[in-house]
Protein backbone atom coordinates (compact mmCIF):
# COMPACT_ATOMS: atom_id res chain seq x y z
CA UNK A 1 0.00 0.00 0.00
CA UNK A 2 1.08 3.56 -0.68
CA UNK A 3 2.21 5.99 1.94
CA UNK A 4 0.17 9.19 2.26
CA UNK A 5 2.17 12.23 1.20
CA UNK A 6 1.98 15.48 3.11
CA UNK A 7 3.92 18.69 3.47
CA UNK A 8 7.42 18.80 2.00
CA UNK A 9 7.19 15.30 0.47
CA UNK A 10 4.03 16.21 -1.41
CA UNK A 11 5.44 19.56 -2.51
CA UNK A 12 8.58 17.85 -3.86
CA UNK A 13 6.44 15.40 -5.84
CA UNK A 14 4.29 18.03 -7.57
CA UNK A 15 6.82 20.86 -7.99
CA UNK A 16 7.07 21.93 -11.61
CA UNK A 17 3.99 19.93 -12.62
CA UNK A 18 0.43 20.60 -13.67
CA UNK A 19 -2.20 19.28 -11.28
CA UNK A 20 -5.90 18.87 -12.09
CA UNK A 21 -8.10 20.23 -9.31
CA UNK A 22 -11.79 19.45 -8.88
CA UNK A 23 -13.16 22.97 -8.40
CA UNK A 24 -16.34 21.65 -6.76
CA UNK A 25 -14.28 20.24 -3.90
CA UNK A 26 -12.81 23.66 -3.16
CA UNK A 27 -16.28 25.22 -3.27
CA UNK A 28 -17.54 22.51 -0.92
CA UNK A 29 -14.65 23.23 1.46
CA UNK A 30 -15.59 26.92 1.38
CA UNK A 31 -19.02 26.01 2.74
CA UNK A 32 -17.37 24.64 5.88
CA UNK A 33 -15.84 28.03 6.70
CA UNK A 34 -18.89 29.51 8.41
CA UNK A 35 -17.13 32.51 9.97
CA UNK A 36 -15.68 33.56 6.63
CA UNK A 37 -19.04 33.19 4.90
CA UNK A 38 -20.69 35.26 7.62
CA UNK A 39 -18.08 37.99 7.15
CA UNK A 40 -17.89 38.23 3.35
CA UNK A 41 -20.69 36.09 1.91
CA UNK A 42 -20.58 32.72 0.18
CA UNK A 43 -19.53 33.98 -3.26
CA UNK A 44 -16.63 36.07 -2.01
CA UNK A 45 -15.55 33.28 0.35
CA UNK A 46 -15.24 30.91 -2.63
CA UNK A 47 -13.29 33.47 -4.66
CA UNK A 48 -10.99 34.11 -1.71
CA UNK A 49 -10.28 30.40 -1.27
CA UNK A 50 -9.48 29.96 -4.97
CA UNK A 51 -7.24 33.04 -4.98
CA UNK A 52 -5.23 31.94 -1.95
CA UNK A 53 -4.87 28.30 -2.96
CA UNK A 54 -3.93 29.08 -6.57
CA UNK A 55 -1.46 31.76 -5.44
CA UNK A 56 0.15 29.39 -2.94
CA UNK A 57 0.45 26.60 -5.52
CA UNK A 58 1.88 28.95 -8.16
CA UNK A 59 4.49 30.24 -5.69
CA UNK A 60 5.52 26.63 -5.05
CA UNK A 61 5.98 25.96 -8.76
CA UNK A 62 2.76 23.99 -9.26
CA UNK A 63 0.28 24.92 -11.99
CA UNK A 64 -3.25 24.06 -10.90
CA UNK A 65 -5.67 23.29 -13.73
CA UNK A 66 -9.12 23.94 -12.30
CA UNK A 67 -11.83 21.61 -13.57
CA UNK A 68 -15.31 23.07 -13.18
CA UNK A 69 -18.53 21.05 -13.09
CA UNK A 70 -20.22 20.65 -16.44
CA UNK A 71 -23.86 21.27 -17.14
CA UNK A 72 -24.55 17.64 -18.10
CA UNK A 73 -25.31 16.47 -14.59
CA UNK A 74 -22.71 15.73 -11.98
CA UNK A 75 -22.69 17.26 -8.53
CA UNK A 76 -23.98 20.59 -9.84
CA UNK A 77 -27.29 18.90 -10.59
CA UNK A 78 -27.57 17.15 -7.24
CA UNK A 79 -28.57 18.32 -3.81
CA UNK A 80 -27.02 16.47 -0.89
CA UNK A 81 -23.82 15.55 -2.66
CA UNK A 82 -20.89 14.35 -0.53
CA UNK A 83 -22.61 11.27 0.82
CA UNK A 84 -26.01 12.86 1.26
CA UNK A 85 -25.07 14.71 4.45
CA UNK A 86 -27.33 17.57 5.40
CA UNK A 87 -25.93 20.97 4.55
CA UNK A 88 -23.68 19.53 1.85
CA UNK A 89 -25.53 21.14 -1.04
CA UNK A 90 -23.55 22.10 -4.07
CA UNK A 91 -26.12 22.87 -6.77
CA UNK A 92 -26.70 26.65 -6.52
CA UNK A 93 -23.31 27.29 -4.94
CA UNK A 94 -21.43 25.99 -7.97
CA UNK A 95 -23.24 28.32 -10.36
CA UNK A 96 -23.03 31.52 -8.29
CA UNK A 97 -19.30 32.32 -8.47
CA UNK A 98 -18.75 30.72 -11.90
CA UNK A 99 -18.24 33.84 -14.04
CA UNK A 100 -16.28 35.73 -11.38
CA UNK A 101 -14.24 32.61 -10.78
CA UNK A 102 -13.38 32.33 -14.47
CA UNK A 103 -12.26 35.99 -14.50
CA UNK A 104 -10.15 35.45 -11.37
CA UNK A 105 -8.47 32.34 -12.77
CA UNK A 106 -7.78 34.10 -16.08
CA UNK A 107 -6.23 37.07 -14.25
CA UNK A 108 -3.99 34.67 -12.29
CA UNK A 109 -2.99 32.82 -15.46
CA UNK A 110 -4.50 29.61 -14.10
CA UNK A 111 -6.08 27.42 -16.78
CA UNK A 112 -9.56 26.04 -16.26
CA UNK A 113 -11.80 23.65 -18.15
CA UNK A 114 -15.49 22.87 -18.02
CA UNK A 115 -16.06 19.16 -17.54
CA UNK A 116 -18.72 17.47 -19.64
CA UNK A 117 -20.16 15.96 -16.45
CA UNK A 118 -18.51 15.59 -13.06
CA UNK A 119 -15.24 17.42 -12.59
CA UNK A 120 -13.89 14.55 -10.50
CA UNK A 121 -14.16 12.13 -13.44
CA UNK A 122 -12.43 14.62 -15.73
CA UNK A 123 -9.58 15.04 -13.23
CA UNK A 124 -9.13 11.29 -13.02
CA UNK A 125 -9.01 10.83 -16.80
Amino acid sequence: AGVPLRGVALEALVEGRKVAVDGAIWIYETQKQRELIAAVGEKRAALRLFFHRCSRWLLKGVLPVIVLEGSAGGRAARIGSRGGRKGARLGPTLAEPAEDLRRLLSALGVPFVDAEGEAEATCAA
Side-chain angles (χ1 to χ4, degrees):
V3 177
L5 295 174
R6 291 188 171 88
V8 176
L10 178 60
E11 289 174 9
L13 179 69
V14 297
E15 185 176 349
R17 297 181 186 245
K18 297 174 184 126
V19 178
V21 176
D22 181 349
I25 297 294
W26 284 6
I27 291 173
Y28 172 77
E29 290 172 353
T30 300
Q31 292 176 344
K32 299 300 178 188
Q33 299 180 20
R34 298 288 177 212
E35 289 180 18
L36 179 61
I37 290 171
V40 300
E42 199 165 6
K43 180 179 173 181
R44 283 187 177 171
L47 293 173
R48 182 185 181 282
L49 183 135
F50 274 84
F51 174 80
H52 285 284
R53 288 192 179 173
C54 287
S55 297
R56 187 173 66 232
W57 284 33
L58 291 168
L59 287 171
K60 293 182 181 280
V62 179
L63 180 63
V65 178
I66 308 300
V67 182
L68 302 170
E69 290 291 304
S71 58
R75 281 181 293 239
R78 293 196 308 259
I79 301 296
S81 184
R82 300 274 153 231
R85 285 179 267 159
K86 249 188 167 168
R89 63 179 174 71
L90 282 175
T93 308
L94 286 173
E96 280 182 33
E99 286 310 310
D100 288 338
L101 181 56
R102 285 177 175 85
R103 281 195 296 274
L104 171 67
L105 294 172
S106 292
L108 291 172
V110 173
F112 59 89
V113 296
D114 292 309
E116 289 185 19
E118 279 199 15
E120 182 177 15
T122 302
C123 288

